[in-house]
Amino acid sequence: MFATGLVDRLPDDDAREGDVTDIRIHKPNGCTINLSIKNNHHALKHQRPPSLMQQLGFPKKSYEDFNYRTELQKRFDAFYREAKLLCPKATTFPELKLADPNFISSHLYAPVCDLVVCFLRNYLKDANICITFFTFLVGNTDYIKVIFQNGNLEFVDFSSIKKPTSCDVAFNKEIPSYIYLTFNNGWKLSLRLHTASSRLAASGSTPSLKFDTQPIDMPLPRRIIPVM
């Protein structure tokens, strides 16, 4: 306990539930200040493709979830079959890349992103689902993001954000690892698909993949303070 209040360090489990707060300050007057602390990056989320339907608000094992995961597994199975033909003894992604620099992009990133785009375009037509997905990506509580980068501290106010009701989903197959989201509240985000582990999972399982979600445009007040 300090004169200014109580300081809590929140566990990572809270972030998975949508609260991105790292440090919460409880002031004596009952107010709280939520801080999200980042070092050298502005990333919003690092979500995994298989849980897309949960990110949109559908429970696990629902019809929507089963349908999506079935289609996703078909893409994974095709990738493993082609990988076995390209490099039969490969156990890592770098080995596949060495055999064919474009293989992972064309046989994994492109089909996965294409499927994700198809489902997002379908479900984000619903305003409530659009709000759910946006809230998942940005956070479900008011907070201040503090980013240390290039000798500066940047403070970005993530509070009282207007919720979107629609989203345009763009995908350029010539850059197959990127998906672009343009929400009608002025926000634009990029989702970059990448491997989260260098090792190849066993055939028939799920490759370790993540989306790196970054802001391109976000109409939020911010302040930059040089510290070095």
Side-chain angles (χ1 to χ4, degrees):
M1 177 73 73
F2 299 92
T4 54
L6 181 68
V7 178
D8 285 339
R9 174 68 173 91
L10 272 65
D12 292 339
D13 287 346
D14 289 6
R16 285 192 283 271
E17 297 299 322
D19 187 348
V20 301
T21 303
D22 294 308
I23 296 174
R24 177 165 292 143
I25 301 172
H26 302 272
K27 300 183 72 175
N29 62 3
C31 294
T32 60
I33 300 174
N34 300 315
L35 301 177
S36 173
I37 312 298
K38 303 295 180 184
N39 185 39
N40 286 322
H41 72 88
H42 289 75
L44 296 172
K45 210 79 173 182
H46 294 95
Q47 71 274 23
R48 294 186 180 271
S51 61
L52 177 66
M53 289 299 106
Q54 284 68 66
Q55 298 159 23
L56 296 175
F58 296 102
K60 275 190 174 182
K61 298 184 179 180
S62 62
Y63 166 78
E64 294 82 1
D65 184 49
F66 177 80
N67 184 37
Y68 167 73
R69 288 179 187 263
T70 298
E71 292 300 319
L72 185 61
Q73 191 60 51
K74 290 178 183 178
R75 274 75 176 170
F76 291 157
D77 291 344
F79 165 73
Y80 283 120
R81 286 195 302 269
E82 295 299 322
K84 197 70 174 177
L85 293 174
L86 174 70
C87 196
K89 296 183 179 181
T91 59
T92 66
F93 283 106
E95 290 174 87
L96 295 179
K97 193 170 184 178
L98 185 63
D100 180 351
N102 297 316
F103 180 80
I104 298 171
S105 291
S106 60
H107 289 78
L108 183 59
Y109 295 161
V112 169
C113 284
D114 191 48
L115 180 69
V116 169
V117 166
C118 179
F119 274 76
L120 286 179
R121 284 175 175 167
N122 180 41
Y123 285 108
L124 292 183
K125 295 175 184 176
D126 185 307
N128 290 325
I129 295 177
C130 184
I131 292 171
T132 297
F133 188 50
F134 177 82
T135 301
F136 166 79
L137 294 175
V138 174
N140 62 8
T141 188
D142 291 346
Y143 62 97
I144 296 172
K145 180 174 284 190
V146 184
I147 308 110
F148 178 74
Q149 192 171 38
N150 300 324
N152 296 319
L153 276 178
E154 181 177 359
F155 298 84
V156 187
D157 186 2
F158 282 75
S159 62
S160 303
I161 298 174
K162 180 182 178 182
K163 301 299 184 184
T165 55
S166 66
C167 179
D168 178 71
V169 184
F171 175 52
N172 184 349
K173 292 187 177 182
E174 294 181 1
I175 314 176
S177 60
Y178 279 85
I179 297 171
Y180 296 97
L181 307 176
T182 302
F183 294 92
N184 68 339
N185 63 348
W187 282 67
K188 185 173 182 179
L189 308 177
S190 71
L191 280 60
R192 180 180 67 87
L193 187 63
H194 64 95
T195 55
S197 170
S198 63
R199 297 197 62 81
L200 278 168
S203 180
S205 58
T206 301
S208 183
L209 299 173
K210 283 185 178 181
F211 279 112
D212 176 25
T213 301
Q214 296 276 351
I216 298 175
D217 291 318
M218 52 181 187
L220 297 177
R222 66 187 66 199
R223 183 181 180 189
I224 298 176
I225 299 176
V227 293
M228 292 178 63

